[in-house]
């Protein structure tokens, strides 16, 4: 497996180098830098900084992370409803990556912030929240100033907020920016995708909002778009399918613009669906949920989907629909089969598989005899694309987790996990490369720096962790415990939502107790407690 991984990486670099022949000097230089960066990613990652403390940090779960201005800034937000803008302070020598909080913007949201993105070519920051609102902020000096020893500058909602959009009727979950300071897309649990144009204005409510681009009869929680193919995007949510839309095919919602409600079947034009042959063993039929989606910024056609209580799957929009022959090369990982992966520690190998006969789970045997097959053609006849690869070992049951590519060629796949770790796989070989501790409870968000081998990670903790290649033995790698970690995660994933209901109720009561304690602490002037629910 190690030789295959090295051969695949060498082939990628060789093909890219050959394609660079005849390019201008600046283009060759860029390719050379990408090659060097790709080589750096082969080293072990380790934690290099923790952003946030009692004085300058979030006071709740950090649900939103995004790099801005070519990686000069890191934007974060979460349950405390504040935006924090982090910038590297080169005057500090305490860390290789000395990011400091330079600005805090109080959003005015009344519920958790789920995503925050800076709009390109501007100083505007857009946020989405559980209060159904989309808000846009613009404080130019908030993102232009350098960190100071006196602490971050604070801006009120009145000072910073320039637009409040109430077009969605459900929790707004994700933002997709385009190559514009004015245009962006949002997706929400009301089943819609909306395009917002800050150059125009309207009065929300009473059908004053522009018609949505997409309207589906189930909750949506994630959206993906590649800058190389901005005319198409993928949405996913409470459905076993993700849907691909091409904006060159999407018609206008004339009925809605005329004041009439369109039928759900007439509202959208879906050109492809993405599915699996079978559900995960922890997924109840009818309760399937896609928690994360990401399209490759390197090639524009590869797509990652993360399924609750299952694994991460790799697709391509270029694949022919209906082709389920997924075992043509070593990079294909089939669901529920035994696989052996190099852990990166000596010659240890682990099996990422479905332990159907584990003694610990014998009590669940009867419940697992149900048919897990997904009939992808049973609904609307839209052509279905099946996955190229499957990446397993983590656990995605408790919270809404994103998924992402890493590396200059998107050569790695990464996902958070319920055990507080995040997992890193080699995309071409399927090899589990590393397991890193990223949170005290659950890792939800992983964002790679656009130009450096640097990764920002967040979850239930109130802090943001930074990871980068290290010189010595990595302190936060958990690869030595990989067999045990993977086995425990597999067991939890197979129990899925069935074993999660009691946990969710317990966490709900704990959450209410935490909120009550938080209010008491705030009244007493004590430190705020950590939130425990995304």
């Amino acid at each position: 497996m190690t030789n295959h991984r090295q051969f695949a990486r060498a082939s990628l670099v060789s093909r890219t180098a050959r394609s660079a022949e005849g390019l201008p000097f600046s283009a060759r230089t860029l390719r050379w830098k990408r090659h060097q960066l790709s080589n750096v990613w082969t080293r072990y990652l380790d934690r290099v900084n923790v952003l946030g403390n009692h004085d300058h940090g979030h006071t709740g779960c950090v649900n939103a992370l995004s790099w801005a201005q070519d990686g000069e800034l890191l934007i974060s937000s979460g349950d405390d409803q504040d935006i924090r803008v982090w910038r590297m302070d080169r005057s500090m020598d305490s860390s290789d990556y000395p990011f400091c909080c330079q600005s805090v913007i109080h959003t005015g949201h009344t519920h958790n912030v789920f995503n925050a993105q800076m709009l390109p070519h501007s100083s505007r920051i857009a946020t989405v929240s559980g209060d159904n609102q989309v808000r846009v902020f613009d404080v130019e000096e908030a993102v232009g100033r350098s960190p100071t020893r006196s602490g971050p500058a604070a801006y009120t909602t009145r000072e910073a907020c320039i637009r409040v959009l109430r077009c969605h009727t459900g929790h707004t979950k994700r933002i997709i920016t385009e190559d514009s300071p004015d245009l962006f897309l949002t997706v929400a649990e009301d089943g819609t995708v909306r395009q917002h144009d800050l150059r125009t204005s309207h009065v929300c409510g009473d059908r004053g909002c522009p018609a949505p681009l997409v309207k589906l009869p189930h909750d949506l929680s994630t959206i993906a778009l590649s800058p190389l193919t901005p005319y198409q995007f993928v949405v996913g949510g409470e459905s076993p399918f993700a849907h691909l839309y091409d904006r060159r095919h999407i018609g206008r919602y004339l009925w809605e613009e005329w004041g009439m409600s369109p039928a759900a079947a007439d509202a959208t034009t879906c050109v492809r669906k993405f599915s699996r042959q079978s559900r995960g063993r922890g997924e109840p039929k009818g309760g399937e949920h896609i928690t994360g989606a990401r399209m490759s910024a390197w090639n524009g056609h590869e797509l990652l989907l993360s399924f609750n209580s299952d694994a991460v799957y790799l697709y391509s929009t270029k694949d022919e629909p209906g082709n389920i022959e997924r075992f043509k090369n070593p990079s294909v990982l089939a669901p529920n089969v035994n696989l052996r992966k190099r852990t990166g520690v000596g010659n240890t190998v682990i099996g990422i598989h479905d332990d159907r006969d584990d003694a610990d789970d014998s009590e669940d045997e009867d419940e697992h005899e149900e048919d897990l097959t997904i009939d992808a053609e049973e609904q609307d006849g839209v052509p279905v694309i099946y996955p190229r690869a499957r990446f397993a070992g983590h656990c995605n049951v408790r919270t809404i987790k994103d998924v992402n590519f890493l590396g200059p060629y998107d050569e790695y796949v990464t996902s958070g996990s319920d055990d507080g770790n995040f997992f890193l796989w080699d995309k071409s070989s399927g090899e589990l490369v590393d397991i890193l501790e990223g949170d005290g409870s659950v890792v939800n968000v992983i964002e790679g720096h656009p130009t450096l081998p640097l990764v920002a990670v967040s979850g239930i903790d109130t802090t943001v962790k930074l990871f980068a290649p290290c010189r010595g033995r990595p302190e936060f790698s958990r690869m030595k415990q990989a067999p045990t970690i993977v086995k425990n995660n597999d067991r939890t994933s197979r129990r899925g939502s069935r074993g999660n209901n009691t946990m969710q109720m317990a966490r709900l009561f704990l959450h209410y107790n935490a909120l009550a304690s938080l209010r008491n602490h705030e009244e007493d002037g004590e430190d705020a407690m950590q939130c425990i629910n995304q």
Side-chain angles (χ1 to χ4, degrees):
M1 184 63 70
T2 302
N3 291 335
H4 173 75
R5 178 186 172 198
Q6 293 173 343
F7 174 76
R9 186 174 307 284
S11 298
L12 173 63
V13 173
S14 176
R15 290 196 306 270
T16 308
R18 289 197 302 268
S19 65
E21 295 178 0
L23 291 175
F25 176 77
S26 58
R28 293 200 302 270
T29 301
L30 179 60
R31 292 295 179 92
W32 179 83
K33 289 181 178 179
R34 283 184 177 273
H35 297 164
Q36 298 303 311
L37 183 58
S38 182
N39 291 333
V40 170
W41 275 98
T42 62
R43 304 174 188 172
Y44 288 111
L45 297 178
D46 201 13
R47 186 183 297 180
V48 294
N49 203 350
V50 177
L51 308 185
N53 53 46
H54 293 292
D55 297 323
H56 306 305
H58 288 285
T59 58
C61 309
V62 183
N63 309 319
L65 288 177
S66 61
W67 296 99
Q69 296 186 357
D70 294 327
E72 287 291 324
L73 304 177
L74 177 63
I75 311 296
S76 65
S77 190
D79 288 5
D80 61 7
Q81 302 145 24
D82 287 342
I83 298 171
R84 289 189 173 268
V85 181
W86 308 83
R87 182 189 291 271
M88 186 177 293
D89 184 358
R90 304 183 189 278
S91 65
M92 297 180 61
D93 299 326
S94 58
S95 169
D96 291 336
Y97 298 91
F99 280 83
C100 296
C101 182
Q102 66 171 35
S103 305
V104 180
I105 300 173
H106 302 296
T107 65
H109 282 296
T110 58
H111 202 281
N112 304 354
V113 174
F114 294 127
N115 203 204
Q117 299 281 343
M118 179 170 286
L119 303 184
H121 317 298
S122 76
S123 55
R124 298 169 177 172
I125 300 174
T127 59
V128 292
S129 168
D131 60 12
N132 306 350
Q133 296 181 7
V134 180
R135 294 192 169 216
V136 183
F137 306 87
D138 192 356
V139 181
E140 186 172 356
E141 68 175 26
V143 299
R145 64 190 297 272
S146 299
T148 63
R149 298 293 183 183
S150 60
Y155 299 90
T156 65
T157 306
R158 183 183 297 273
E159 292 174 321
C161 188
I162 63 171
R163 189 74 65 90
V164 178
L165 302 169
R166 299 180 177 87
C167 304
H168 288 291
T169 58
H171 294 180
T172 52
K173 302 307 289 279
R174 294 293 182 266
I175 302 167
I176 290 292
T177 61
E178 305 192 57
D179 190 26
S180 167
D182 302 300
L183 294 173
F184 60 96
L185 305 180
T186 56
V187 67
E189 291 182 354
D190 59 8
T192 66
V193 175
R194 292 183 177 272
Q195 177 176 285
H196 306 279
D197 189 341
L198 300 180
R199 296 170 298 183
T200 64
S201 61
H202 67 272
V203 178
C204 294
D206 296 329
R207 293 190 170 90
C209 300
L213 294 180
V214 169
K215 194 168 189 178
L216 288 172
H218 59 265
D219 290 5
L220 296 177
S221 57
T222 186
I223 183 171
L225 177 149
S226 173
L228 299 181
T229 53
Y231 47 83
Q232 62 184 14
F233 59 87
V234 175
V235 294
E238 294 186 0
S239 168
F241 312 106
H243 298 75
L244 172 67
Y245 295 92
D246 192 317
R247 283 196 263 187
R248 298 169 297 185
H249 290 262
I250 292 178
R252 296 178 64 191
Y253 293 77
L254 296 179
W255 283 19
E256 188 157 324
E257 291 180 359
W258 293 341
M260 297 182 288
S261 297
D266 299 330
T268 62
T269 303
C270 177
V271 296
R272 290 288 186 273
K273 292 193 303 186
F274 302 93
S275 184
R276 304 157 291 166
Q277 283 188 287
S278 61
R279 307 191 314 275
R281 298 191 63 175
E283 290 181 273
K285 187 173 183 179
E288 300 91 347
H289 186 194
I290 298 172
T291 66
R294 190 65 60 109
M295 292 193 73
S296 172
W298 168 247
N299 57 43
H301 67 88
E302 287 185 323
L303 167 70
L304 292 173
L305 294 178
S306 181
F307 290 82
N308 183 266
S309 301
D310 196 6
V312 172
Y313 291 83
L314 175 68
Y315 301 81
S316 172
T317 59
K318 292 184 177 182
D319 284 350
E320 288 295 323
N323 182 11
I324 59 175
E325 297 180 5
R326 297 169 292 148
F327 311 108
K328 293 182 178 180
N329 62 70
S331 69
V332 174
L333 311 181
N336 303 326
V337 297
N338 292 332
L339 299 169
R340 292 170 67 81
K341 306 295 172 202
R342 182 181 67 83
T343 66
V345 181
N347 295 318
T348 305
V349 294
I350 61 175
I352 298 179
H353 60 279
D354 189 15
D355 293 319
R356 295 176 184 270
D357 299 323
D358 275 1
D360 294 342
D361 296 303
S362 58
E363 70 275 8
D364 297 330
E365 182 177 351
D366 293 337
E367 296 183 41
H368 283 311
E369 291 180 354
E370 63 176 315
D371 183 13
L372 301 177
T373 304
I374 296 175
D375 187 353
E377 305 292 342
E378 66 184 4
Q379 294 184 348
D380 48 24
V382 176
V384 178
I385 295 176
Y386 289 94
R388 290 182 167 187
R390 179 180 188 266
F391 305 92
H394 66 300
C395 181
N396 180 11
V397 176
R398 290 176 55 186
T399 57
I400 303 299
K401 293 176 187 63
D402 282 337
V403 65
N404 213 336
F405 292 98
L406 289 179
Y409 304 108
D410 285 348
E411 62 266 48
Y412 293 99
V413 173
T414 185
S415 172
S417 180
D418 287 347
D419 56 8
N421 298 313
F422 69 97
F423 286 61
L424 193 66
W425 300 271
D426 184 277
K427 185 182 68 176
S428 61
S429 68
E431 179 185 348
L432 178 59
V433 176
D434 211 347
I435 302 174
L436 293 146
E437 181 185 322
D439 192 88
S441 181
V442 178
V443 172
N444 291 321
V445 185
I446 306 166
E447 290 292 336
H449 191 279
T451 59
L452 298 175
L454 180 65
V455 182
V457 177
S458 70
I460 303 300
D461 289 352
T462 61
T463 56
V464 178
K465 283 81 171 180
L466 299 182
F467 288 80
C470 64
R471 299 183 181 91
R473 179 177 294 273
E475 179 182 355
F476 289 90
S477 175
R478 298 295 176 259
M479 283 299 287
K480 287 186 177 181
Q481 296 84 41
T484 301
I485 291 173
V486 170
K487 185 174 182 178
N488 290 338
N489 284 340
D490 178 73
R491 182 182 298 112
T492 303
S493 296
R494 286 185 290 112
R495 289 173 177 169
S497 59
R498 294 179 299 103
N500 198 37
N501 291 334
T502 302
M503 181 189 300
Q504 291 287 359
M505 289 300 297
R507 290 175 66 242
L508 182 62
F509 284 114
L510 287 173
H511 183 60
Y512 281 123
N513 289 336
L515 289 177
S517 299
L518 178 62
R519 295 190 185 97
N520 293 334
H521 279 284
E522 289 177 344
E523 292 174 359
D524 296 339
E526 300 180 17
D527 292 336
M529 292 184 61
Q530 172 183 323
C531 71
I532 58 172
N533 189 29
Q534 183 184 4

